[in-house]
Amino acid sequence: MSGISGRLMLFAAGVRRCAVPIDEVVEVIELPPLFPIPGAPSVLCGAINSHGRILPLVDLPLLCGLDSGSAPAGKVIVFDSFLADMALLVDEMHEVRPSTDILEEEEGEMPCLSRQLMFADGTAHLVTCQGVLAVVEKVLAESRSAAAEA
Amino acid sequence: MDMSQYRDLFVSEAREHIRTMNELVESLSKEGEDEEQVASLFRMAHSVKGMAASMGYQAIADLAHKMEDLMDRVRKGLLPFERGAASLLLEGADLLDAMLDEVAEDGNVRSDAAALVKRLEAHASGMHAAEPEPGSLELPQPPAQTSAPSQRPGGRERSDSRQTIRIRTELLDSLINLTGELVTTKYRFLNLAQEIGSPPLEEVIADLSRLLRELQIQVSAARMLPFSTLADRFPRAVRDLARSRGKDVTFEVEGGELELDRGMLEALADPLIHLIRNAVDHGIEPAHIRLLAGKPQSGQLRLTAERARDQFVVQLADDGRGMDPAVLIATAIERGVVTTEEGWRMTAEQAFLLTCQPGFSTAREVTDVSGRGVGMDAARAAIQALGGQFTIESIPGKGTRMVVRLPLTIAIITVLLVETAGVVCAVPVNTVLRTVEVSPACFEERGGRHLLPFEEERLPVIPLQGLMGGYKEPAGPVSLVVAEVGTERIALAVDRFVGQQEIYVKPLGRPLSRLAWLSGGAILGDGRLVFILDMAGVALRAGI
């Protein structure tokens, strides 16, 4: 029985199917113009203007080391500003499912894919804003240290 | 009648009265009895009592009533205003504040004032024990009370005949946001007008710019608050801290009437309290050590604010033990914070800033207040996040001065736009000393780094391209921004200067706020996003 409640938005990131709690998302948009972020590591592929807010766009497949799919990344999931000021670049949006559809869940493979969820038609990796934020900030800290040592 | 709609107003007004009460108690404690101030203190307590009673907050009204009673006896000459009364009133003010917090949270008062009410009653009736002072120093006593208050000159009632109105701070924030968006839209119009080449349209936009400028000035003015709004909290904190450490500290504030952006003031509160705590805890010596050093028993701590060009300068100066740069450098080398070679090359100013390195502390003991090397690090980071600069001056045995330089407002600033490798960045003009173009042949080399001869210095050249990734040695003339970073100057090499304009600063949230070389972002008139460079962060990243 899953401990996750509410609804999940399923999407494709690379060749993997992922799910994000819908409560953490304010909107899903087409990829808008991207602007470079000086000195940012490549997992932050650029910045976007989201209703007057400047948000970094996180390349989720690159961040999680997922294999790239054939479909070009073209959708953006914008997180709730109460959680973080960032957005996720993903490949394709699928459907919304209730958490009651989850048959089983297991420990995830990597920090930003915190849980593996089993549905009747396959698995999906749970992606949470906090999980992604923690990994991104770790990458930023590592790149700061690397720059300092260089 | 539903009074909840008036709750916010009640809390806001009551807090103002309590703040004034604190100031008056401090003033009366320091300077002795003054009829007008005693009467004002009585009126403040009376007002809080009345407001609370009308709102149905009886516990608050009862406490304020006892404070009012005590002050009534003082103003009638039946009781002296001495240390015991001052302590009780300050305690009462604190408890009233806590009760107001509870009211603001959910409308219910939970704090119990019964014990304090009894002590206030006892003191007002003259039945109180002398305040115990284990091991602490005597504070100056107020002058003796005369028995004929009617012989004193009558006090003047201060009144402000200007009409004022309360505005929620969220509304002020919203106004500055809208003004900022209008500034961005103005530039969009300007770009369009230039593209289509329409002089009449450009003229209209020029008129719009003038009106917008005026609006910006007025809205910014509405956000300005006197520095005393912040500084008035500190005498109490200094007094309590000094007492807890068994020290005697005289604290003065100058420039309290100068005004600063509200957002800036709020953000300054924590850094300044860190610096003040550090000064009292580690800067100022205990009285017996001061006397042995030939200093006055009471340590001096002075907080001053002044305007300098487009900056607001806050200085905190003490006459304490000061810092020895050699000791700081030796400690830094021992802890691996710097190498021996770096330590040898350090100036005294750079050595003092070592105290802001995370975890760096030469304090012989860690107190509950400071000494963990956390406060100074957090204070400097907060000041830099505001676009400010922080420097320290110190003479061993004589004292220390900490200087904070801030832009006047954080919302709309003027920047120099620069471009490198196709990326446009913004440099706040208040950090720019000069822009120059030089041939690479002018550079000197030292330790694998280019240096720019500038006036009588050799400034490290930081290629902005290094931040973008990939660096090519310049072939032609190099455009440089000479900027001030703390006590140092650097030269930022860019591909070209784009221009100067006002931008509305968009703060960066997590995770971008972790990039120390970026202090904010902005949306230009043509829709492009640019990031504002934090020059201190850029220098740090470049290893300067």
Side-chain angles (χ1 to χ4, degrees), chain B residues 120-368:
Chain B
L120 280 161
E121 278 175 346
H123 197 95
S125 64
M127 297 188 311
H128 56 276
E131 191 177 329
E133 293 292 340
S136 69
L137 301 163
E138 288 294 308
L139 290 173
Q141 294 293 324
Q145 170 83 25
T146 67
S147 58
S150 58
Q151 289 174 359
R152 296 205 193 101
R156 243 178 344 105
E157 185 79 25
R158 278 188 303 170
S159 67
D160 187 342
S161 59
R162 291 170 299 174
Q163 285 202 320
T164 57
I165 186 170
R166 279 181 199 286
I167 297 178
R168 282 178 291 112
T169 50
E170 292 85 4
L171 183 54
L172 278 182
D173 283 345
S174 175
L175 283 173
I176 200 78
N177 284 346
L178 281 171
T179 310
E181 297 296 344
L182 282 170
V183 165
T184 304
T185 305
K186 173 193 89 174
Y187 281 108
R188 286 172 64 193
F189 270 121
L190 207 53
N191 286 339
L192 282 171
Q194 284 165 357
E195 267 173 42
I196 63 178
S198 166
L201 183 57
E202 285 180 22
E203 203 180 302
V204 168
I205 292 170
D207 287 342
L208 176 66
S209 292
R210 270 193 297 277
L211 287 170
L212 199 44
R213 184 87 194 126
E214 186 56 34
L215 175 65
Q216 202 178 312
I217 291 169
Q218 300 281 356
V219 170
S220 295
R223 281 172 58 97
M224 301 292 262
L225 285 175
F227 182 64
S228 58
T229 312
L230 173 61
D232 287 347
R233 301 185 214 173
F234 295 144
R236 174 76 186 280
V238 170
R239 179 178 135 138
D240 290 347
L241 180 56
R243 275 182 155 191
S244 72
R245 295 289 176 261
K247 295 181 183 178
D248 184 2
V249 178
T250 304
F251 181 67
E252 290 174 0
V253 177
E254 271 179 35
E257 71 286 358
L258 292 179
E259 293 192 332
L260 187 61
D261 180 88
R262 184 184 61 78
M264 197 74 81
L265 268 183
E266 282 168 16
L268 256 189
D270 276 350
L272 280 185
I273 202 73
H274 277 310
L275 299 184
I276 285 171
R277 283 181 174 167
N278 212 70
V280 174
D281 211 21
H282 295 289
I284 291 178
E285 314 93 324
H288 67 280
I289 293 181
R290 290 182 62 86
L291 290 170
L292 283 171
K295 292 184 183 178
Q297 181 171 285
S298 178
Q300 305 295 311
L301 191 58
R302 183 188 295 264
L303 181 68
T304 57
E306 57 184 355
R307 288 272 286 266
R309 288 192 311 167
D310 59 344
Q311 289 188 324
F312 194 91
V313 183
V314 177
Q315 297 188 56
L316 182 70
D318 68 64
D319 69 344
R321 52 170 61 97
M323 294 189 283
D324 186 343
V327 170
L328 296 173
I329 291 171
T331 306
I333 292 172
E334 188 190 316
R335 292 188 188 168
V337 175
V338 298
T339 64
T340 308
E341 200 205 330
E342 284 167 343
W344 278 112
R345 286 209 309 265
M346 267 192 178
T347 62
E349 290 77 19
Q350 289 167 327
F352 297 138
L353 286 174
L354 284 170
T355 54
C356 300
Q357 295 279 359
F360 183 96
S361 174
T362 58
R364 284 182 291 279
E365 58 166 322
V366 168
T367 66
D368 59 328

Side-chain angles (χ1 to χ4, degrees), chain A residues 68-135:
Chain A
S68 299
S70 54
K75 294 282 192 264
V76 172
I77 294 175
V78 181
F79 281 119
D80 191 331
S81 59
F82 279 109
L83 300 171
D85 285 314
M86 69 180 179
L88 280 186
L89 179 64
V90 302
D91 292 318
E92 215 181 325
M93 300 306 299
H94 295 161
E95 74 274 17
V96 174
R97 291 259 189 103
S99 58
T100 46
D101 279 4
I102 300 170
L103 302 172
E104 214 179 307
E105 62 177 274
E106 287 176 359
E107 199 69 36
E109 295 169 6
M110 49 197 84
C112 55
L113 304 177
S114 57
R115 308 289 292 166
Q116 204 160 322
L117 310 175
M118 319 292 184
F119 292 92
D121 59 346
T123 60
H125 300 275
L126 180 66
V127 173
T128 62
C129 180
Q130 284 306 304
V132 172
L133 184 64
V135 176

Side-chain angles (χ1 to χ4, degrees), chain B residues 451-496:
Chain B
L451 297 174
L452 171 74
F454 182 78
E455 293 174 356
E456 286 173 17
E457 292 178 68
R458 299 288 179 272
L459 309 188
V461 175
I462 301 175
L464 186 54
Q465 202 169 40
L467 203 61
M468 310 301 177
Y471 173 66
K472 283 185 306 200
E473 281 291 331
V478 181
S479 301
L480 295 153
V481 179
V482 178
E484 227 167 25
V485 175
T487 54
E488 301 211 17
R489 293 177 178 184
I490 60 168
L492 184 72
V494 300
D495 287 353
R496 67 182 188 101

Side-chain angles (χ1 to χ4, degrees), chain A:
Chain A
M1 189 67 176
S2 166
I4 297 162
S5 62
R7 293 180 298 160
L8 297 159
M9 191 183 301
L10 271 66
F11 61 93
V15 296
R16 306 283 189 115
R17 192 166 71 156
C18 300
V20 62
I22 207 167
D23 291 344
E24 297 190 359
V25 177
V26 290
E27 62 176 349
V28 177
I29 56 176
E30 298 292 330
L31 181 63
L34 268 188
F35 299 92
I37 306 172
S42 52
V43 294
L44 299 183
C45 48
I48 63 170
N49 176 358
S50 171
H51 306 291
R53 284 166 58 215
I54 297 177
L55 306 182
L57 195 56
V58 178
D59 186 331
L60 186 63
L62 187 59
L63 184 74
C64 300
L66 300 172
D67 299 326
S68 299
S70 54
K75 294 282 192 264
V76 172
I77 294 175
V78 181
F79 281 119
D80 191 331
S81 59
F82 279 109
L83 300 171
D85 285 314
M86 69 180 179
L88 280 186
L89 179 64
V90 302
D91 292 318
E92 215 181 325
M93 300 306 299
H94 295 161
E95 74 274 17
V96 174
R97 291 259 189 103
S99 58
T100 46
D101 279 4
I102 300 170
L103 302 172
E104 214 179 307
E105 62 177 274
E106 287 176 359
E107 199 69 36
E109 295 169 6
M110 49 197 84
C112 55
L113 304 177
S114 57
R115 308 289 292 166
Q116 204 160 322
L117 310 175
M118 319 292 184
F119 292 92
D121 59 346
T123 60
H125 300 275
L126 180 66
V127 173
T128 62
C129 180
Q130 284 306 304
V132 172
L133 184 64
V135 176
V136 167
E137 289 188 330
K138 185 162 178 262
V139 170
L140 294 182
E142 283 164 1
S143 83
R144 272 202 313 272
S145 303
E149 281 166 22

Side-chain angles (χ1 to χ4, degrees), chain B residues 11 17 34 88 147 230 284-285 393 470:
Chain B
V11 168
H17 287 319
D34 172 89
L88 282 171
S147 58
L230 173 61
I284 291 178
E285 314 93 324
E393 301 156 14

